[in-house]
Amino acid sequence: MTSDDVVALVGGGGKSTAMFRLAREVVEKGGRAITTTTTRIFGAQIALSPAHVPAADATRERVGAALASHGQVLITGPTELATGKAESVSLDLFTRLRAWFPDACLLNEADGSRMRPFKAPAAHEPVIPAETTLVVPVVGADVFGQTLDDDHVHRPELISVLSGAPIGTPITPEIVARVLAHPEGGRKGVPTGARVVVVINKVESLPDRKPARETAQRLLQDPAIHSVVLTSVRAKEAVLEVCTR
């Protein structure tokens, strides 16, 4: 990831945590980062950013002042009291943010997963802006060996269709790789020219890394996948391995 990338995070297993971690690292390296969502995030996650500007107040001056003070700012729509979730920003505002701050890294959570580590996208998602240069499908390693059902994944019926695995099947690296590499799965909505880097998160939850490494090997058979990163985004050292061809 570069300091001026436009990043869309999709999937499950730690997208929000990864987004804010990436933003902090950009700032620590001397860059500026704008975090936002074209779906919804939990309102409580606003506290993960040192500055927050509501979308209704997001002018060049207001956002610029937050970046000057903190290096990092979160922009969301209003928080719904009934759901506790902060609403998305419009694609028009997203385009303006990119035009106003072309040298900043713009990180966007582009879909939801209902707190599940693995998902397949519905017809209306993900919402990936055309300006996106890097798409990051995320999956939680804690899904390996779990059952393909509503308790463990988001939209198991769609995962079943994309992977060919029946509902109730134990989730394997092959199933995960098929879905993440599928043009209607992890690669859905990727703009032309954008890179795709898969993140397998929560690798520390595995007795060993074999399932994560096998998933990476399978993913890298697809030329559309640039690389695969094994991570533990809550740990001091987030990146455990980088897998390339």
Side-chain angles (χ1 to χ4, degrees), residues 34-36 51-67 73-78 88-90 92-101 106:
I34 299 171
T35 52
T36 189
H52 173 242
V53 175
D57 301 328
T59 62
R60 185 202 296 259
E61 293 72 23
R62 180 83 179 268
V63 177
L67 287 172
V73 60
L74 169 67
I75 301 171
T76 68
S88 64
V89 303
S90 68
D92 178 65
L93 175 56
F94 193 96
T95 297
R96 281 183 279 139
L97 290 169
R98 183 55 171 170
W100 292 341
F101 307 102
L106 189 47

Side-chain angles (χ1 to χ4, degrees), residues 7-23:
V7 184
L9 295 100
V10 300
K15 288 192 308 294
S16 298
T17 305
M19 179 174 74
F20 289 112
R21 176 70 182 258
L22 288 169

Side-chain angles (χ1 to χ4, degrees), residues 19 76 83 110 161 230:
M19 179 174 74
T76 68
T83 64
V161 169
L230 311 190

Side-chain angles (χ1 to χ4, degrees), residues 16 20 40-49 52 74 76 79-80 83-86:
S16 298
F20 289 112
R40 298 190 298 172
I41 64 172
F42 286 104
Q45 292 172 324
I46 291 172
L48 297 176
S49 177
H52 173 242
L74 169 67
T76 68
T79 301
E80 289 188 351
T83 64
K85 290 189 175 182

